[in-house]
Amino acid sequence: METHALEYAFVRGTEAAAIAAGRLVGLGDKNAVDGAAVEAMRTALASADLSGVVVIGEGEKDEAPMLYHGEEVGNGKGPSLDIAVDPIDGTTLASKGGPGAIAVIAAAPRGALFRTRVPYMEKLVTGPAGRGVVSIDVPLEENLRALARAKGREVADLTVALLERPRNEDLMRAVRAVGARVRVFGDGDVANAVYAVLEDRARVDMLAGIGGAPEGVIAACATRALGGEMQGRLWARDERDEEIARGEGLRIGRTLTLDDLCASELAIFTATGVTDGEFLDGVRYRRGSAFTQSIIISSYSHVIRTIDARHDLRPRNATGVPGASSAPRHH
């Protein structure tokens, strides 16, 4: 399978999820938003020329309609891949009509992606300037000083994205105490990690703190494709999370490098906007069409591509997949 065809297969999956979920934005039912996105993404991926296994998904097999851990996707005729999905990154945001919800798929060769059912991970993510410079094992203040030196900037010029949760309050205080700025976000872990790596479009210089472990693995694919730096440590809320880690042969608190999280130099990250945000525009519906904005970040083809597309929503096949995109505009 040609690289561009593989990349577009994933974009079709995120587009389908975004279009299905977009109809439910602002109605207050996050389960309905998520369910619509999952089913649309699953249907779109079923016909793709690939042999994929979901290693980062939304649950176990008996919890369908989630895209569950171990689920096989694709028609089996293409490359063997690990697949990480987040049909809606920012489900609560989408249900409330808030900004920045996206549909996401990431992939790497089979066996490359870190696998865990531990829900949470402490993360440190930067762009290429942070490679060999920052370490999750030292205080955040030291990392900010080191990153500022590497970028030739002052610490006061740096911005750190932190998920707004009580568990991250100490880090927020540390960032402010050293003179850097904090950008808090209530949801949307993946998008904010990608912000930190996209240095030419940088809204933040670093993502830090404790967020979702599945989102961490997805972010690792984007970080790998962009040549950035990422490290993590699994974080346990309670004894049950510790038991999950032990059962997987993992240790809570062990430092995970980018090589642990995404062991291949080849990785693909695709996302489509569900609601308007700084990262991507949300879905718009006009006269039987849906308009989407997506991004492909791929080390397979060494590309960052933004795609604006119009989709004909008139029924014309038996699968329920939205109509094919018109010729997209590439940026």
Side-chain angles (χ1 to χ4, degrees):
M1 185 180 190
E2 293 184 5
T3 295
H4 74 275
L6 180 62
E7 294 164 353
Y8 278 102
F10 292 133
V11 168
R12 284 192 290 273
T14 59
E15 287 175 338
I19 291 168
R23 293 289 194 188
L24 303 170
V25 163
L27 298 182
D29 189 342
K30 67 178 184 179
N31 291 329
V33 168
D34 196 45
V38 166
E39 284 307 304
M41 183 176 284
R42 173 182 277 132
T43 300
L45 288 176
S47 60
D49 288 334
L50 59 93
S51 177
V53 174
V54 175
V55 299
I56 295 294
E58 296 204 306
E60 306 302 324
K61 185 173 182 178
D62 60 359
E63 294 174 341
M66 295 178 178
L67 277 155
Y68 58 83
H69 301 100
E71 180 172 352
E72 296 182 359
V73 296
N75 60 18
K77 298 178 181 179
S80 296
L81 299 169
D82 282 350
I83 308 293
V85 301
D86 196 347
I88 301 290
D89 176 45
T91 308
T92 301
L93 286 174
S95 69
K96 294 180 178 180
I102 59 176
V104 181
I105 299 174
R110 185 71 57 83
L113 295 186
F114 183 72
R115 306 180 184 209
T116 184
R117 291 179 176 83
V118 177
Y120 291 96
M121 179 187 292
E122 181 182 359
K123 288 167 269 190
L124 180 67
V125 183
T126 74
R131 297 194 71 173
V133 170
V134 299
S135 170
I136 200 169
D137 297 320
V138 305
L140 189 54
E141 303 94 307
E142 292 184 28
N143 282 318
L144 287 168
R145 294 187 186 101
L147 185 60
R149 288 193 297 270
K151 289 190 168 191
R153 296 162 62 188
E154 299 295 326
V155 172
D157 297 329
L158 302 183
T159 300
V160 181
L162 284 158
L163 184 64
E164 191 172 20
R165 298 291 188 273
R167 59 181 177 264
N168 290 325
E169 287 178 356
D170 287 345
L171 289 178
M172 292 180 193
R173 285 190 287 269
V175 172
R176 290 170 176 143
V178 79
R181 294 185 295 271
V182 172
R183 173 192 175 109
V184 296
F185 60 96
D187 211 345
D189 212 340
V190 173
N192 280 277
V194 177
Y195 288 154
V197 188
L198 283 169
E199 290 186 331
D200 59 336
R201 310 184 193 182
R203 292 177 174 84
V204 298
D205 301 278
M206 177 186 293
L207 176 131
I210 299 164
E215 291 85 350
V217 177
I218 292 170
C221 290
T223 303
R224 175 67 84 185
L226 291 166
E229 176 63 279
M230 180 172 180
Q231 298 164 29
R233 291 190 293 223
L234 293 179
W235 184 80
R237 298 166 297 178
D238 50 33
E239 190 172 306
R240 183 174 180 273
D241 287 351
E242 292 177 355
E243 289 176 0
I244 293 172
R246 283 194 295 270
E248 295 174 335
L250 301 172
R251 180 168 60 83
I252 296 293
R254 181 177 76 85
T255 297
L256 302 168
T257 67
L258 184 56
D259 286 338
D260 294 316
L261 297 169
C262 180
S264 173
E265 293 291 334
L266 297 175
I268 297 172
F269 171 92
T270 61
T272 299
V274 178
T275 60
D276 285 341
E278 292 178 306
F279 188 35
L280 293 167
D281 292 339
V283 185
R284 288 172 171 78
Y285 303 91
R286 299 284 188 278
R287 297 182 179 180
S289 296
F291 295 83
T292 60
Q293 186 172 68
S294 305
I295 191 169
I296 299 171
I297 300 171
S298 174
S299 58
Y300 281 78
S301 57
H302 305 287
V303 70
I304 302 173
R305 178 178 290 121
T306 303
I307 302 170
D308 292 296
R310 179 176 64 83
H311 308 258
D312 184 350
L313 300 185
R314 292 171 298 179
R316 57 186 185 183
N317 58 48
T319 67
V321 179
S325 302
S326 66
R329 299 192 301 275
H330 297 174
H331 304 291

